[in-house]
Amino acid sequence: MGVEYENFIEMKDIALDFETEESGNISEELRAEREWELPYVPENEVMRYFINLSRKNFSVEIGMYPLGSCTMKYNPRLSERLAFDSRIQYIHPLLLELVADRVQGILRIFYELEERLKLITGMDAFTFQPAAGAHGELTGVFIIRKYHIINGQNERKLILVPDSAHGTNPATAAMAGCYVKEVKSDQDGCVDLKELEKILTDKSNEIAAFMLTNPNTLGIYDKNIEKICAMVHEAGGLMYYDGANLNAIMGRSRPGDMGFDVVHLNLHKTFGTPHGGGGPGSGPVGVKEFLREFLPVPVIVERTNGVLEFDWNLKYSVGKMIGWWGNFAVVVKALAWLLATGKEVKKVSEDAVLNANWLKKKVMEFLDVPYPHNTMHEFVASAKELKKDYGVTALDLAKGLLDNGIHAPTIYFPLIVSEALMIEPTETETLARLEEFVEVLKNLVEEAKRDPEKVKGYPYNTPVSRPDEVRAVKELDVKWEV
Ligand SMILES: *Cc1c(COP(=O)(O)O)cnc(C)c1O
């Protein structure tokens, strides 16, 4: 906005100057004082270094990765190839704004994905700006806050989250300037309606929204969902759907029909795009019609002649949430995945749910599953008994799996299950893999009873065994070693 086409040409000319004159126009104080001593390494050594480095790590390319609440499914190579197509890779983002008529294909990719996500979620409009699920949550809560402010209800700052919530939900609410109250689960793992009723009565003019994941992080579909939405709306609050893991319901039921007003999705989970190493991600946010004017700008609109362009004029927009327009390569991959999947999208969720239920049944034979009903895409087992009787913990089992070629499930989450192992197989694992998982986990549990000390020492074969994980993150030590 505000950048003229002529300026853009000039900017391009400067870039060209820079290339032809080499370092000629870099001022003295910006130049290095000495030559950098970069290692001289032959190409094959560089290749070996990186291949060996990758072999020290576990990935979905190596084995099953049943990380609960993360949807670690196969990322088709076809989508990668499309995202790296030169017609997509070398488009400068400024072109979308300056010469939209010449990059209609790029705008069309956003538009087509939006149309499909609208169908899948039952929402009316989307933004692709958020670069992660948590960033989508922040966008969504900004929208909700602004909606209340515009309606003269600035005091609505209370965000409810269930006790099974993903940690990002309360963190987001706090970041957006709201405060948080936890709502307890009942013995079925669903929202406790009596408790909700009480909070809504006590705090009716403070409620901004209820943030829910359905099915929740226990893998349970809340049977009262429509009632919950109605109760919160009655109290003047909005319903926020954390759709990071839409894998369970896609093609079968829609947050928009359940009564939700704002939804975020994780393209890097449900829609088959990779999410290792912290990104890049994409957390598009969808809203119902009455919230369209609050979306971040610009949004893409189709004019009557079929031409797509940016619209910056949303009356109550929360502003811009990212530089440029979002992680476009992820958008390309997600659309490719949806186009390749087509109507089978319903089968994706059916198979994900089938796999989780099959696994749960098998795992229940040797580990406790505290919330065994209404399981959807994942389930939570507990190593509480093992810990009590043999001192073997969820962490020990997780490390034992790693030593046997299977990535650990999510552990110690959700917080309402002690010694939790949260297992999500996704639809992309075969029956043979699921059987292997059961076999390995079962052997570990038996070994824990026979020889607990051995299990407490796992893993024995990985390059790193039991690092201080917090320290490893805070004091990252990555250096060149041949
Ligand atoms: C993964 C996840 C998030 C956060 O998504 P990020 O892209 O990691 O920020 C939020 N909610 C749920 C339920 C999730 O599984």
Side-chain angles (χ1 to χ4, degrees), residues 37-41 480:
E37 288 162 31
L38 296 173
Y40 175 79
V41 208
W480 180 273

Side-chain angles (χ1 to χ4, degrees), residues 357-423:
N357 277 277
W358 189 92
L359 262 194
K360 179 189 70 178
K361 262 221 123 112
K362 296 284 176 187
V363 169
M364 275 172 82
E365 290 168 13
F366 51 86
L367 273 180
D368 191 31
V369 174
Y371 296 95
H373 305 298
N374 300 336
T375 296
M376 299 291 286
H377 62 304
E378 64 191 2
F379 67 98
V380 182
S382 166
K384 196 168 130 195
E385 295 297 316
L386 272 190
K387 185 177 176 192
K388 194 169 88 213
D389 299 338
Y390 305 94
V392 169
T393 62
L395 177 71
D396 300 330
L397 293 180
K399 295 293 182 189
L401 284 170
L402 267 175
D403 233 2
N404 284 282
I406 295 174
H407 194 277
T410 299
I411 51 173
Y412 300 103
F413 179 76
L415 305 175
I416 51 175
V417 173
S418 63
E419 294 301 320
L421 293 141
M422 185 193 208
I423 300 167

Side-chain angles (χ1 to χ4, degrees), residues 436-448:
E436 180 194 334
F437 175 82
V438 173
E439 189 67 24
V440 171
L441 188 58
K442 189 172 174 201
N443 287 343
L444 281 170
V445 170
E446 279 162 11
E447 194 174 26

Side-chain angles (χ1 to χ4, degrees), residues 123-127 139-151 208-209 233 237-241 259-263 285-296 299 314-318:
M123 305 313 267
D124 298 314
F126 269 87
T127 172
T139 309
V141 176
F142 279 170
I143 289 172
I144 289 169
R145 271 295 293 149
K146 189 139 185 198
Y147 169 80
H148 289 310
I149 291 169
I150 295 292
N151 283 313
H233 284 148
L238 299 187
M239 287 300 294
Y240 183 95
Y241 186 91
F260 285 90
D261 307 294
V262 185
V263 170
V285 171
V287 294
K288 286 274 178 69
E289 189 58 43
F290 74 100
L291 292 172
R292 185 194 293 268
E293 295 290 320
F294 294 82
L295 283 173
V299 291
L314 299 188
K315 199 160 169 205
Y316 305 121
S317 174
V318 294

Side-chain angles (χ1 to χ4, degrees), residues 69-70 131-135 137 166 168-169 213 217 242 244-245 264 266 268-269 281:
S69 199
C70 284
H135 196 201
E137 291 171 30
H166 194 270
T168 50
N169 295 176
T213 306
T217 59
D242 178 340
N245 317 97
H264 89 260
N266 279 17
H268 50 291
K269 289 181 181 168

